[in-house]
Amino acid sequence: MRTNKFLFTLLFLTLSLHVFAQNPTSKVAGIVLDENNNPVENVNVSYQTKSVTTDSNGFYEISVPANQKVVLVFTHVSLKNITATLQLKPNENFEFHVMMNDKAEQLNDVVITSNKRRVQGITSIEPETIRRNTSAMPGVESVLKTFAGVNANNELSSGYNVRGGNYDENLVYVNEIEVYRPFLIRSGQQEGLSFTNTAMIQNVDFSAGGFQAKFGDKLSSVLDITYRKPTKYSIAAEASFLGGSLTGEGISKNKKWSVITGIRYRDNSLLVNSQETQTNFRPTFADVQTNVNFMPNKQWQFSFLGNASQNKYNYQPLTRQTNFGTIDEPIALQIFYEGQEKDKYQTLFGAFKTTFVKDDNNIFKLITSVYHTQEQEYFDIYAAYYLGEVDTNIGSETLGQVTFNRGIGTQLNHARNDLDALIVNAEVKGTHFLKNKKYQIDWGFKYTRENIRDRIVEWEVIDSAGFSINPPIINLPHNDQPYNPYIGPLVPYQSVRATNFIDINRFSGFTQWNTKTTIGSSQFWVTAGARFHNWMVAGDGISNAKNQTVFSPRAQFALKPDWEKDMFFRLAIGYYYQPPFYRELRDLNGQVNPNVKAQQSIHFVLSNDYNFKMNNRPFKLVTEAYYKSMNDVNTYTLENVRIRYRANNDATAYAYGLDMRLNGEFVPGTESWLSFGYMKTEENQDDRGYIARPTDQRLKFGILFQDYMPNIPNMKLYLNLVYNTGLPGGSPSYADVYTYQSRLRDYRRADVGFSYILTERNNERNDGHWLKKFQDLSVGFEIFNLFDNQNAITNTWVRDVYTKNQYGIPNYMTTRVFNIKLTAKL
């Protein structure tokens, strides 16, 4: 069986090596200004025989070939000519602004993988790669999961962990505005939609560690997303068995107003119904986002980003059977359910951003945002389970059936959880250039107020062999039924009841300085900065909260030697603090500890990237070695995507590893990559010794591959392969994690998509052809979990009264699923 899977994979990769030459194009748009920052009209922008002219606002737009150097020439009757060399990716909409004066100037080559991002240690992802990527949960996160150092074993979740961190340790920005995840989500299948609308993005930058001081206070990573500023009218739509989206964008005649709006709908029934648990499942996930931009003049820019989403998750499990054990001792878990779960997550988000360009050397920004979420989690689910031995005798009439029950029990889970959170932010930022832009200084101050109203009522009753099982942490009379009658009180095995009304006020800020110089004939960059963060927790019943402050210096050094080979070296070091968010303040019993300290991590990152050409096509090899030392660690348990903290800062931890990624044009005009990562992370609770953290996943292999099929030139292939070694399997409730250090099986997943692009050769069609109306029209066929691997996310712990053992039964994710997708853009 493994040989067949290997041959099947090899076949796909072999097919993908065939190259079909294409002639993709890109677009360049921007504004031409004079030395006084006034727009210049009637500038001729030309490339070979193609040319356009700027309008009264200095605006221009021109199409150019992709994947080759293009020389744009800017000419004007009263100003000196300017030439600029660019090299763009296919279908790239590149924003390029030019300043003309009476002195001739030849601008430097413009390549998307610029030195600026190399200096910052940032990985850029092409928006088209994200939109075309095949994944059960499409979006930016699905592409990140193919990177070394980024892990996620749940294809139904947009959550990811980076270099040993958890889902709460990642910063996510959209247009420089921090966005948040829901609080009560406990299962990936409840998430529905990621905040980021992939149809609206322009740039995506990602840093896996050692990031600059201008980014916020988290321990692991930064995802920085910029939405597109439209340069023309356009409508794009997508529909599949998993939902659909509609995106419209436009710009006013005077080029001062632009707007892009997207509506999405998601239904995960196709994926969830492929799991082992048979259910009546009726989910609806929908959102609408808009980004409005207004530029009244060359100095002022205003923008609004708004989002409204509603996720309704109605879940009624029916039956489940999971086979596990060994060949010699196969065991089956059969569960019969009654009851249902009704969850609802409704969020509203709005942000205003004002940019004032005082002059070429001074830029100021004011950003305000409001995030409001109302979440409810209601369920009553009764489960009767049978733990039995499976008949493995070939020829038996009961082959594969349970013939002997080793354990019988019931379980009742109840919850009435409600949460209302309002988060308000106000931030001012500045950027200053000194000495002909040799030095750059950035600074910012931010105020955040978080108002949380939370009610937790959840309990679990376990009954096995006819008697209720008491929780092991409560001092109750000995229970040895059925031999002797039990005379103590009946209590739930697990019970959490709490009501928290919390206010958190935060003040934070940063200052950062960077410069470029030389060492001999080599180029050298230095970036140094520091952050501070002050917070205070208040609320009902809280009288002893402390005012806490942390200070985190950070520095990055980058060197580009004057070698024939294009090598780049980078060293990053710094302190990274994560002041506790509300979930980190709440312990396993739902009680808030206002004096939880900020978790501290010291990052050491040494990296090298090497740009080279192979078969006359560009490639890059990026290698990063890292070490993170962590103190005041807030330990937690991980159940699917639900994180429950102990809120006591009782541990130290570390993480180290090596990430490697080779990306480039394995096929002309497309970007693909291969990644490998090794990582080890452990924690030491109360000086008891080091054990694996819940995210300790040692080996990672990822492939994102794009190709054209040579015999069908309009057919594109997208392949997404991920292999991760197994995570720790967790432990039962109230158990000591030090006694449960088993691991889940390795995670193996392959998603493949085929897209037939009907508009591929529109430039060869007559103007009257009906396909000429479309910029893009394609039909896709997708196979999720191509090899039908059984991947586990957590364990369900079941006790066997007959042998007095507890079994960790894997909770498997989705099986093989087929999907059809239609994409159109006018």
Side-chain angles (χ1 to χ4, degrees):
M1 187 65 180
R2 290 183 178 178
T3 302
N4 292 338
K5 291 182 179 180
F6 175 79
L7 291 175
F8 199 19
T9 304
L10 186 62
L11 175 62
F12 267 99
L13 293 177
T14 303
L15 288 173
S16 299
L17 293 176
H18 293 284
V19 176
F20 182 81
Q22 305 289 321
N23 296 303
T25 61
S26 303
K27 289 186 178 179
V28 183
I31 298 173
V32 179
L33 303 173
D34 62 18
E35 58 187 355
N36 297 315
N37 287 322
N38 296 316
V40 183
E41 188 177 5
N42 295 323
V43 175
N44 184 268
V45 185
S46 62
Y47 164 69
Q48 293 182 353
T49 59
K50 184 182 296 186
S51 66
V52 297
T53 304
T54 60
D55 60 16
S56 59
N57 294 298
F59 179 82
Y60 74 94
E61 180 180 282
I62 187 170
S63 296
V64 297
N67 297 317
Q68 65 183 64
K69 285 192 176 182
V70 173
V71 179
L72 286 183
V73 181
F74 296 79
T75 58
H76 189 268
V77 292
S78 60
L79 298 173
K80 295 296 184 180
N81 295 350
I82 282 182
T83 60
T85 304
L86 300 90
Q87 183 174 336
L88 304 179
K89 300 288 185 178
N91 302 313
E92 179 76 25
N93 292 320
F94 186 62
E95 196 173 304
F96 187 64
H97 305 299
V98 175
M99 181 173 290
M100 300 184 71
N101 52 36
D102 56 359
K103 296 179 181 179
E105 182 180 1
Q106 179 168 332
L107 301 182
N108 294 330
D109 291 2
V110 179
V111 184
I112 297 304
T113 54
S114 65
N115 276 349
K116 181 178 180 181
R117 287 180 171 84
R118 298 177 78 184
V119 169
Q120 297 175 349
I122 287 175
T123 300
S124 296
I125 310 172
E126 293 300 317
E128 193 62 25
T129 300
I130 297 170
R131 285 189 278 268
R132 295 289 187 182
N133 182 48
T134 299
S135 174
M137 282 293 290
V140 177
E141 298 84 359
S142 68
V143 176
L144 291 182
K145 293 172 185 179
T146 64
F147 285 9
V150 181
N151 292 311
N153 285 27
N154 192 333
E155 59 267 19
L156 297 177
S157 170
S158 60
Y160 55 92
N161 58 77
V162 179
R163 293 178 176 175
N166 65 35
Y167 305 130
D168 291 340
E169 297 179 10
N170 305 307
L171 285 162
V172 179
Y173 294 98
V174 175
N175 293 352
E176 298 185 82
I177 302 157
E178 186 174 358
V179 299
Y180 303 90
R181 289 168 53 86
F183 289 76
L184 296 183
I185 294 289
R186 67 170 65 202
S187 171
Q189 64 194 40
Q190 297 172 358
E191 289 189 36
L193 292 166
S194 165
F195 180 92
T196 308
N197 189 328
T198 57
M200 298 171 62
I201 60 177
Q202 174 69 48
N203 295 315
V204 177
D205 294 333
F206 178 73
S207 174
F211 43 88
Q212 298 180 1
K214 67 179 181 179
F215 296 113
D217 296 294
K218 296 281 188 179
L219 294 182
S220 293
S221 72
V222 172
L223 178 61
D224 191 14
I225 298 169
T226 303
Y227 276 175
R228 189 167 61 252
K229 291 182 180 179
T231 57
K232 62 179 180 179
Y233 289 95
S234 177
I235 296 177
E238 182 180 293
S240 76
F241 291 152
L242 293 170
S245 66
L246 180 66
T247 306
E249 59 185 279
I251 187 170
S252 63
K253 290 183 179 180
N254 60 10
K255 303 296 188 294
K256 293 183 177 181
W257 287 90
S258 66
V259 61
I260 180 169
T261 301
I263 301 173
R264 297 182 294 172
Y265 173 81
R266 177 80 177 179
D267 185 343
N268 275 346
S269 296
L270 182 69
L271 296 168
V272 175
N273 289 336
S274 73
Q275 295 179 307
E276 287 184 327
T277 303
Q278 301 301 309
T279 66
N280 289 325
F281 185 67
R282 298 178 301 278
T284 56
F285 308 121
D287 82 339
V288 57
Q289 287 191 41
T290 186
N291 187 30
V292 182
N293 297 282
F294 174 54
M295 189 171 67
N297 53 53
K298 62 182 179 295
Q299 287 186 303
W300 290 95
Q301 297 179 34
F302 303 92
S303 66
F304 169 76
L305 175 64
N307 174 75
S309 68
Q310 185 176 76
N311 296 350
K312 290 185 178 180
Y313 178 80
N314 298 326
Y315 176 71
Q316 185 180 7
L318 300 176
T319 63
R320 166 186 171 181
Q321 178 169 334
T322 302
N323 296 326
F324 65 104
T326 64
I327 296 176
D328 296 330
E329 188 182 6
I331 304 174
L333 173 69
Q334 294 176 305
I335 305 178
F336 300 90
Y337 296 97
E338 292 183 12
Q340 61 181 328
E341 178 175 355
K342 289 189 175 182
D343 302 334
K344 183 168 66 175
Y345 310 91
Q346 180 174 296
T347 63
L348 297 172
F349 177 82
F352 287 93
K353 178 180 175 182
T354 302
T355 302
F356 174 59
V357 182
K358 183 177 181 296
D359 50 46
D360 250 4
N361 297 319
N362 298 280
I363 302 172
F364 301 91
K365 296 177 182 179
L366 175 64
I367 302 172
T368 59
S369 67
V370 178
Y371 173 81
H372 184 215
T373 179
Q374 292 177 308
E375 305 175 18
Q376 75 169 37
E377 183 182 43
Y378 292 177
F379 58 79
D380 289 283
I381 297 179
Y382 172 82
Y385 69 84
Y386 300 86
L387 193 64
E389 298 178 0
V390 179
D391 185 359
T392 58
N393 294 322
I394 299 177
S396 172
E397 295 181 357
T398 58
L399 177 66
Q401 299 180 15
V402 175
T403 57
F404 174 72
N405 286 323
R406 298 172 52 171
I408 300 175
T410 61
Q411 182 173 308
L412 177 60
N413 291 89
H414 166 93
R416 293 294 184 271
N417 299 331
D418 294 278
L419 183 138
D420 188 301
L422 179 67
I423 303 174
V424 180
N425 293 285
E427 181 178 15
V428 60
K429 301 168 71 173
T431 300
H432 310 279
F433 299 98
L434 306 174
K435 294 187 177 180
N436 295 323
K437 299 190 176 183
K438 181 179 180 181
Y439 303 104
Q440 178 179 335
I441 297 175
D442 295 277
W443 57 268
F445 295 97
K446 182 178 181 180
Y447 168 72
T448 301
R449 180 176 177 84
E450 301 162 8
N451 176 260
I452 313 291
R453 292 176 289 175
D454 182 24
R455 183 193 70 168
I456 312 165
V457 179
E458 60 180 66
W459 47 260
E460 176 185 32
V461 174
I462 300 177
D463 181 281
S464 183
F467 60 92
S468 178
I469 298 176
N470 290 328
I473 64 171
I474 298 179
N475 186 19
L476 293 171
H478 181 62
N479 187 347
D480 61 351
Q481 291 188 67
Y483 307 105
N484 294 295
Y486 175 67
I487 59 174
L490 293 177
V491 296
Y493 184 75
Q494 180 177 347
S495 180
V496 178
R497 292 176 181 268
T499 300
N500 300 310
F501 290 175
I502 301 298
D503 291 312
I504 307 174
N505 290 289
R506 303 180 187 272
F507 295 91
S508 61
F510 75 93
T511 181
Q512 180 174 294
W513 169 86
N514 66 65
T515 185
K516 175 185 176 182
T517 184
T518 58
I519 298 179
S521 58
S522 301
Q523 300 178 64
F524 186 66
W525 290 262
V526 179
T527 301
R531 294 190 61 85
F532 80 91
H533 194 124
N534 172 274
W535 74 99
M536 177 74 174
V537 180
D540 292 355
I542 295 178
S543 58
N544 61 342
K546 298 178 182 178
N547 191 305
Q548 302 185 61
T549 303
V550 294
F551 178 76
S552 51
R554 307 172 188 176
Q556 294 82 29
F557 308 93
L559 176 69
K560 188 178 188 305
D562 185 21
W563 296 347
E564 182 178 345
K565 294 183 178 180
D566 186 4
M567 286 277 192
F568 204 96
F569 299 91
R570 176 176 171 268
L571 171 66
I573 183 173
Y575 279 79
Y576 294 82
Y577 284 93
Q578 182 161 318
F581 205 46
Y582 172 69
R583 285 208 303 184
E584 296 163 76
L585 297 171
R586 197 176 67 180
D587 64 16
L588 298 177
N589 295 316
Q591 303 299 320
V592 169
N593 178 4
N595 296 318
V596 172
K597 299 178 183 179
Q599 300 183 84
Q600 179 201 90
S601 177
I602 304 177
H603 289 201
F604 301 89
V605 181
L606 180 63
S607 64
N608 165 262
D609 66 65
Y610 171 38
N611 288 339
F612 61 97
K613 287 199 172 183
M614 186 167 57
N615 295 329
N616 292 320
R617 296 196 293 270
F619 286 85
K620 175 187 280 191
L621 175 64
V622 180
T623 305
E624 285 198 349
Y626 60 90
Y627 177 81
K628 297 195 293 186
S629 173
M630 290 167 271
N631 293 304
D632 293 324
V633 173
N634 194 348
T635 54
Y636 60 90
T637 60
L638 186 60
E639 176 189 354
N640 206 301
V641 299
R642 184 192 196 191
I643 300 175
R644 300 182 65 185
Y645 292 91
R646 293 183 176 87
N648 57 9
N649 299 111
D650 66 342
T652 59
Y654 68 84
Y656 65 81
L658 176 71
D659 292 345
M660 301 181 69
R661 185 165 68 97
L662 174 66
N663 71 293
E665 296 184 12
F666 293 93
V667 175
T670 65
E671 184 179 23
S672 304
W673 57 75
L674 313 173
S675 63
F676 163 76
Y678 171 80
M679 187 269 298
K680 181 178 181 180
T681 181
E682 292 185 322
E683 63 188 18
N684 182 359
Q685 299 181 20
D686 295 321
D687 293 324
R688 299 176 60 190
Y690 281 96
I691 58 172
R693 304 195 79 196
T695 54
D696 181 38
Q697 205 153 19
R698 298 296 171 84
L699 293 178
K700 164 71 177 284
F701 295 92
I703 297 175
L704 190 146
F705 202 86
Q706 304 180 69
D707 196 6
Y708 309 113
M709 300 191 71
N711 296 326
I712 312 176
N714 290 2
M715 182 70 76
K716 306 288 192 295
L717 180 145
Y718 307 93
L719 183 65
N720 191 331
L721 294 170
V722 174
Y723 169 81
N724 295 327
T725 52
L727 283 167
S731 60
S733 299
Y734 296 121
D736 184 354
V737 294
Y738 274 77
T739 63
Y740 288 86
Q741 287 296 296
S742 62
R743 288 185 178 266
L744 300 171
R745 64 172 62 183
D746 295 351
Y747 182 87
R748 297 164 295 172
R749 187 173 178 88
D751 298 324
V752 65
F754 303 89
S755 181
Y756 187 82
I757 301 178
L758 300 171
T759 53
E760 181 69 21
R761 297 189 174 184
N762 259 4
N763 58 338
E764 300 176 7
R765 295 188 172 98
N766 298 326
D767 290 340
H769 197 283
W770 67 276
L771 284 174
K772 278 287 210 178
K773 300 177 182 179
F774 295 90
Q775 296 183 50
D776 176 45
L777 182 63
S778 59
V779 179
F781 176 67
E782 299 174 321
I783 308 174
F784 306 130
N785 199 358
L786 178 64
F787 303 126
D788 202 21
N789 291 313
Q790 284 191 310
N791 293 311
I793 181 63
T794 52
N795 280 323
T796 294
W797 296 91
V798 176
R799 66 176 60 236
D800 179 358
V801 176
Y802 178 74
T803 64
K804 309 300 182 183
N805 291 328
Q806 286 203 90
Y807 291 92
I809 291 90
N811 295 315
Y812 293 120
M813 300 302 294
T814 58
T815 58
R816 185 188 294 119
V817 174
F818 301 93
N819 185 39
I820 296 176
K821 182 168 67 175
L822 175 66
T823 303
K825 185 175 183 180
L826 295 171

